[in-house]
Amino acid sequence: MEVYDLLFFVEVLIGGLLSGVMYSLVAIGFVLIYKTSGVLNFAQGAMLLFAALTFVSLVERGLAVPLAIGLTLLIMVALGFAIERSVLRPLVNRSPMTLFMATLGLSYIIEGAAQLVWGTQVHGLDLGISDVPFEIAGIFISTFDLAAAGIAAAMVAGLSAFFYWTRIGLAFRAVADDQFAALAVGLRLSRIWGSVWTAAGFVALVAGLLWGARLGVQFSLSLVVLKALPVLVLGGFDSILGAIVGGLIVGAGEKLAEVYLGPFVGGGIEGWFAYVLALGFLLLRPAGLFGTKLVERV
Amino acid sequence: MAAQTISLPDSRFPLRTLLWPALALAAAYILVPAFATTYLLEAILLPFLALSLAAVGLNLLTGYCGQLSLGSAAFMAVGAYAAYNLNLRISGLPLPLSLVLAGVTTAAVGTVFGLPSLRLRGFYLAVSTLAAQFFVQWVLTKFGWFSNNNPSGVISAPRLIVAGFSFDSATGRYLFSLTTVTLLTLFVWRLVEGSAGRNMIAVRDNETAARVIGVPVLRTKLLAFAVSSFIIGVAGALWAFTYLRTVEPAGFNLDRSFQILFIIIIGGLATVRGAFIGAAFIVVFPLVLARTGAFLFGGVFDSGVLDMSQRIILGVLIILFLILEPKGLSELINRLATRSNRQRA
């Protein structure tokens, strides 16, 4: 009995960690944009929905999968630069709160447009990854979650390589480090912001496909943004490592709480548990685990 | 919020500033009950009043004190359910008193969720108010006690009787709501015109600087949270008792919180008047859009399309207002008025 309980605990823990990776996937999109432009992009969830919905609708209209991915990416590039031009540039130098509220408006536009164009019905999405759990030493692990974790790891590795070994990646880091200095050495801020939003669009596509395969491609997909926010709070808004660790903590905490704490309070606590966890944590460390501490000047 | 110039309260007797609100109030008390149809009262004026009050509350916190909250709907729910339970469980409690106590309950809950604001700033705080949003909705659905053991957490409004007079008719509910909103708005107006309001603006514009010059930051923030939650709680009770009559926790979802935030963005941050203008816009806009859409596109413009185009237009408006007119419709009206005055002169 004792062994079984321990096995069960490990199984829940692993399941939680793996679903946490899915949260991290969404959170990374936020971090990219926050780091370089200081905007907390609430529209990341809407972008995720938009990307997944566009991809699925293109495939359903008979496009080959690689072609559909290419076309969706092109659309995300266009979207990224359009947002830079029409929302970010006019709001340059305005307070972070104003920018946040603007992305709230943006999320309404993207959600509305995505569903106006592609319809509101639920689309199934099959990525060809089976969701049959397999067993290791008596512990069942979902193949799909494992594959998702693999894809996430590959994406993070790819992003890091991009940041460290390409010119545009260097420019990203320069802007994240000091906007004015970057401008002074002649970096084109508008092009960099456009690219960053494109990169976030790419992350949104990957996350959207994985989440879409899990939940079906539908409106509620844009609500995963609400799962990503506590992850960001835990990890700090400007750290990719933080997004990953935060995602793992939230995923594991949520699953463990649901299994071991849920029965005592009537269940359904996964809707807010992550927030309370993040809130409690914030009181101890206001800048998150890996966030930059703010130095205030008058 | 970017640094804004503070318009100091008018030292002369504010006759001019009082003129329009007084006229509007007179019309609301005399003309509306005399001429308004039941449809106008129930579909437009009652939601308008409740949302205006909620927006006045949120504006105090977000517009004046600069603390972004995404949990307004949760506080409305607390107010509604508190008023319901007070009314149900304490027999003989006068209705106005149960509204006040509901407000006090909400203020207590709001202050608890506002406590993190003492350490957190900006986005971190906004996220923490989301905790209130999800937690409150869960509590109200999960624990039957709050809804008198209704399986889906639905509550129905009690009869509205004050001092022996019944306010259950459409006109009665309107007058009840109008009076509540008027009194609380007056209270908030006095508050923001006074030193508390200036402290809030100081905290919003630069917290560290405010602390340096001796503004009691801690007390100011908690006061903003408490008063704001009080007002939003009463607004929630009005929403449940005078407008919908039957509400469930799901009616106070995140979309409602955003709606109230949009009201103050469109109406004008840090103006009392903006809350009313914004609420009027948010209530009337979907109706106008539905009519125009049906007129222009006929059957193609079904409820799905309507819903989506409403989202898109609202989003576009939010961004346009933030870019072009950060002080909202309220400032736009001001500017038009000055221009027409100048032309007359």
Side-chain angles (χ1 to χ4, degrees), chain A residues 4 7-8 34 43 57 64 66-67 86-87 93 98 104 110 113 122 130 144 197-198 205 223 243 264:
Chain A
Y4 170 76
L7 277 184
F8 181 65
Y34 189 83
S57 305
L67 208 60
S86 60
V87 181
N93 263 340
T98 307
L104 212 59
I110 298 176
V122 182
S130 76
F144 181 85
W197 279 73
T198 303
L205 175 63
L223 298 179
F264 297 106

Side-chain angles (χ1 to χ4, degrees), chain B residues 13 35 54 61 65 111 157 163 167 194 254 256-258 273-274 313:
Chain B
F13 183 69
F35 296 110
L61 185 66
C65 201
T111 314
F167 284 89
L254 190 59
R256 178 85 50 225
S257 292
F258 285 158
R273 180 172 67 168
I313 297 176

Side-chain angles (χ1 to χ4, degrees), chain A residues 39-64:
Chain A
V39 180
L40 179 63
N41 176 28
F42 195 83
Q44 186 70 24
M47 280 165 67
L48 197 144
L49 168 74
F50 182 74
L53 204 55
T54 307
F55 172 79
V56 170
S57 305
L58 287 176
V59 169
E60 277 174 7
R61 275 160 185 73
L63 241 65

Side-chain angles (χ1 to χ4, degrees), chain B residues 95-114:
Chain B
L95 187 62
L97 195 58
S98 62
L99 277 193
V100 171
L101 289 179
V104 172
T105 313
T106 319
V109 175
T111 314
V112 169
F113 280 100

